[in-house]
Amino acid sequence: MAAETTDTTGTAGTADGGGNGRWAPGDQILWRYRGNGRPGTGGGIHICRPVTVVEDTAELLAVWMAPGTDCVKPLLADGTPVHREPLATRYTKPRTTAVTRWYGTGVLKLARPGDPWSVWLFWDLDWRFRNWYVNLEEPLARWAGGVDSEDHFLDIAVYPDRSWEWKDEDEFAQARHAGLMTDDQAGRVRAAGHAAVELIEAWGPPFTAGWERWRPDPAWPVPALPDDWDRTPARVGT
């Protein structure tokens, strides 16, 4: 259940899920994405974001990515930022990774076990709620240090007036053209998107759960990016 006030129940630290396989509020974990079979990546981890656990239950994992967090993101091997590369060659040129700092407002991420998407919340600098963002992706795989997934390019923006729109359809189409997903995979992603739209139009959780009123504990430190951010998990679960 979403909190309307600051959560002060947890302490920061590296978590292993605890004895019950769950993290406590304030634990620090990694939220990572594998590459989509792009040249030069080998499908390894290419996005890594240290986050703080807000809530971890059998029904929901909620985490906070704080402003000022050092994160790993992909870029082209020649140093060009991915978003500045023309779409026609964005998914065919070799890539590497770089560590950059997340500026601006933080992001609250919500994921239900087994869902092929996570829902992110964005605010303006004055904490005026901006929108939800449905990020279509592989269901999260849990491991001792965090969760792993694979992004599916296609997304949905959802606004406080209950309107919504597809996002990044051009990138989704180009990824298919570049061979980063088969027609069957693309069909499953589109079906997942339509399932998410049904949830949006029914206006169920998390859109009715009050998370837009949540605020982070000001005592939480900004999580550090570990040197072994791309390590292979010792165990993986759901």
Side-chain angles (χ1 to χ4, degrees):
M1 181 178 181
E4 297 187 17
T5 58
T6 296
D7 187 338
T8 58
T9 59
T11 57
T14 301
D16 62 3
N20 62 357
R22 300 289 169 191
W23 293 294
D27 283 341
Q28 297 175 0
I29 64 173
L30 302 178
W31 186 291
R32 311 192 304 181
Y33 289 96
R34 299 181 297 273
N36 302 83
R38 300 183 178 95
T41 67
I45 299 298
H46 74 148
I47 295 173
C48 180
R49 297 166 179 162
V51 295
T52 301
V53 174
V54 175
E55 178 180 310
D56 184 23
T57 69
E59 291 76 34
L60 183 73
L61 173 64
V63 304
W64 170 245
M65 188 173 70
T69 301
D70 285 336
C71 303
V72 175
K73 73 173 186 179
L75 75 165
L76 300 189
D78 64 4
T80 302
V82 172
H83 69 278
R84 293 184 181 175
E85 179 68 18
L87 189 60
T89 52
R90 189 173 300 173
Y91 301 123
T92 57
K93 288 189 175 181
R95 294 192 178 193
T96 185
T97 58
V99 176
T100 60
R101 184 154 293 176
W102 183 272
Y103 290 105
T105 59
V107 182
L108 181 67
K109 299 187 177 189
L110 311 174
R112 299 187 304 185
D115 276 356
W117 62 73
S118 58
V119 179
W120 304 358
L121 283 77
F122 292 89
W123 290 265
D124 292 327
L125 289 174
D126 61 357
W127 280 103
R128 185 188 303 271
F129 181 64
R130 187 187 310 164
N131 67 281
W132 296 271
Y133 196 82
V134 179
N135 195 73
L136 296 173
E137 60 191 37
E138 286 292 317
L140 296 183
R142 297 170 65 101
W143 56 286
V147 292
D148 288 356
S149 182
E150 183 175 302
D151 185 74
H152 285 159
F153 304 99
L154 190 63
D155 307 297
I156 307 169
V158 185
Y159 302 101
D161 65 359
R162 302 192 184 187
S163 64
W164 61 271
E165 62 177 329
W166 296 103
K167 304 293 286 186
D168 302 328
E169 289 194 276
D170 56 344
E171 294 189 0
F172 180 64
Q174 188 63 32
R176 293 180 62 184
H177 181 74
L180 298 187
M181 62 176 64
T182 65
D183 288 343
D184 286 345
Q185 289 172 324
R188 290 194 294 271
V189 172
R190 182 64 78 171
H194 287 303
V197 167
E198 290 181 3
L199 176 64
I200 295 165
E201 294 184 337
W203 207 245
F207 309 108
T208 57
W211 282 106
E212 64 272 19
R213 299 187 297 275
W214 175 87
R215 300 292 183 267
D217 185 341
W220 284 344
V222 175
L225 178 69
D227 292 337
D228 59 348
W229 56 265
D230 59 347
R231 64 190 181 275
T232 301
R235 59 183 175 85
V236 175
T238 55

